[in-house]
Amino acid sequence: MKLDPAVIKLLDLDPETTSVSSSGGGGCSSASTSKITSKLSDGTERCFFMKTGRGKDAEVMFEGEHVSLNALHDAVPSLCPQPFGYGHFSSQPSTFFLVTDFLNLTSRYISKSSGPSLASKLATLHTTPAPIPEGYDIPMFGFPVTTCCGDTPQENDYNSSWADFYANHRLRFIVRRAEKLNGKDEELNNLVETTASKVVPRLIGDGHLNNGNGVTPVVVHGDLWSGNASVGVIGTKGGNAEEVVYDPSSCYAHSEFELGIMKMFGGFGGGFLKEYHQLCPKTDPVEEYEDRVKLYELYHHLNHYALFGGGYRSGSVGIMKSLIRKYGGA
């Protein structure tokens, strides 16, 4: 299979010595994945990973992933593959692509990493302050582009308040989307509104965390379940296998937001969190840590309900009712 000229131009490859083959992976329901293999003039081989999809949704998704990978890579270069660009095919303008370094993956469960552990890389990521966005004078919560968690395009408008960002651009946003996809749901809507208006300011209010000092925005992967982490070698220049992540849905957030989906689907044991928290301490008040992680897990239950319906609603309702009983008083 020949590679589209737009990708040839982006990567500066020779079309006569470059081929494309099918590859596993994807990270969403609509993307196709390929491996690009090119023989260079010095006789060496270079491989890239490419996602393709059709229409505006694919364009939004690939831009978000490209910017997410750049943000992760800038903070911890060995954490994820380097992105090289995204765009549309010149031969098929309605088909969009994303190109990154190829990952030669094995498995976190059967392979030994020779580099820093994923826990230590994640701790480094979560203790690196977010950059100051253009037009602002302090780091902000949010992200410069829309990112997709699964197939959900997320609102990432900048906000100086973490509590406001989480209440408006995660909880209230996702219940609107869930109702659009699954129908009106008065109970769910009321529970989300009570959680956003009462639990959020009580539990993660800017004047409450860290003895009133709030939290510093850091970049998070945003969709870090065990299926988006593995052990492998980035690129084709050789080197040792390391623990890596991929398919991010990033934003600048409270570091503990990352832990919500990690808890929801498991795959990261007590030893992982012990090592992680030795390097990235729990936010004060520490005694409310488990409930904050539960609050962050809630977003992913609601997102999965929006995407898949069914049992994820009951998980969402259970979390909200327990948090409202504990923190929802006037």
Side-chain angles (χ1 to χ4, degrees):
M1 185 192 312
K2 291 292 186 180
L3 188 60
D4 187 86
V7 186
I8 290 285
K9 182 178 180 181
L10 172 71
L11 300 175
D12 192 24
L13 300 175
D14 181 352
E16 297 305 316
T17 59
T18 301
S19 61
V20 186
S21 57
S22 179
S23 178
C28 68
S29 63
S30 55
S32 299
T33 55
S34 305
K35 180 180 182 180
I36 300 169
T37 305
S38 186
K39 288 188 177 180
L40 306 182
S41 57
D42 62 3
T44 60
E45 196 174 80
R46 185 82 188 271
C47 296
F48 304 88
F49 180 73
M50 181 172 67
K51 291 184 180 181
T52 57
R54 295 181 64 83
K56 182 66 178 178
D57 289 348
E59 180 182 19
V60 170
M61 183 172 291
F62 294 157
E63 179 187 29
E65 185 172 346
H66 172 76
V67 179
S68 294
L69 286 169
N70 264 327
L72 297 176
H73 191 269
D74 286 348
V76 186
S78 65
L79 179 61
C80 67
Q82 181 179 358
F84 294 102
Y86 72 98
H88 61 82
F89 284 174
S90 57
S91 60
Q92 297 174 298
S94 63
T95 297
F96 292 85
F97 66 85
L98 167 72
V99 180
T100 73
D101 253 328
F102 192 79
L103 280 175
N104 294 281
L105 296 177
T106 52
S107 168
R108 290 178 59 226
Y109 301 103
I110 62 174
S111 299
K112 289 293 184 181
S113 165
S114 60
S117 68
L118 181 57
S120 67
K121 289 183 182 184
L122 202 64
T124 300
L125 185 74
H126 292 167
T127 52
T128 302
I132 297 173
E134 186 176 350
Y136 295 86
D137 55 8
I138 58 170
M140 301 290 285
F141 298 100
F143 212 55
V145 299
T146 298
T147 50
C148 295
C149 193
D151 287 340
T152 299
Q154 301 173 123
E155 290 182 352
N156 287 326
D157 297 350
Y158 284 128
N159 197 312
S160 60
S161 164
W162 168 242
D164 286 352
F165 177 86
Y166 188 69
N168 292 323
H169 297 312
R170 288 300 178 262
L171 296 184
R172 291 184 175 116
F173 156 76
I174 198 60
V175 77
R176 289 195 302 269
R177 185 168 177 85
E179 287 194 317
K180 181 179 179 181
L181 296 171
N182 297 315
K184 289 292 183 181
D185 189 326
E186 185 175 359
E187 181 193 27
L188 193 70
N189 199 302
N190 289 340
L191 285 169
V192 168
E193 184 53 38
T194 301
T195 302
S197 62
K198 292 183 178 290
V199 176
V200 166
R202 165 61 184 83
L203 198 52
I204 60 169
D206 306 296
H208 179 63
L209 296 178
N210 283 327
N211 300 308
N213 293 312
V215 293
T216 300
V218 299
V219 64
V220 296
H221 177 287
D223 192 14
L224 190 52
W225 65 292
S226 58
N228 283 343
S230 190
V231 172
V233 178
I234 299 176
T236 48
K237 296 180 180 179
N240 297 318
E242 292 194 40
E243 291 192 86
V244 292
V245 300
Y246 34 86
D247 292 343
S249 174
S250 294
C251 66
Y252 300 124
H254 178 201
S255 59
E256 290 175 356
F257 176 55
E258 191 88 275
L259 307 180
I261 194 166
M262 295 171 71
K263 179 183 177 185
M264 179 176 175
F265 287 116
F268 304 91
F272 180 100
L273 287 174
K274 182 179 179 181
E275 180 185 359
Y276 169 81
H277 281 307
Q278 286 175 341
L279 300 168
C280 182
K282 297 174 182 177
T283 300
D284 282 322
V286 172
E287 63 271 17
E288 294 174 357
Y289 163 84
E290 295 289 347
D291 289 327
R292 290 194 300 270
V293 174
K294 188 182 294 185
L295 178 63
Y296 296 147
E297 183 183 349
L298 169 63
Y299 169 71
H300 295 286
H301 280 270
L302 289 167
N303 184 41
H304 278 70
Y305 172 61
L307 291 170
F308 308 115
Y312 289 108
R313 182 189 184 280
S314 62
S316 304
V317 168
I319 289 173
M320 287 187 283
K321 285 184 174 179
S322 69
L323 290 175
I324 290 167
R325 280 195 300 269
K326 195 168 183 179
Y327 299 102

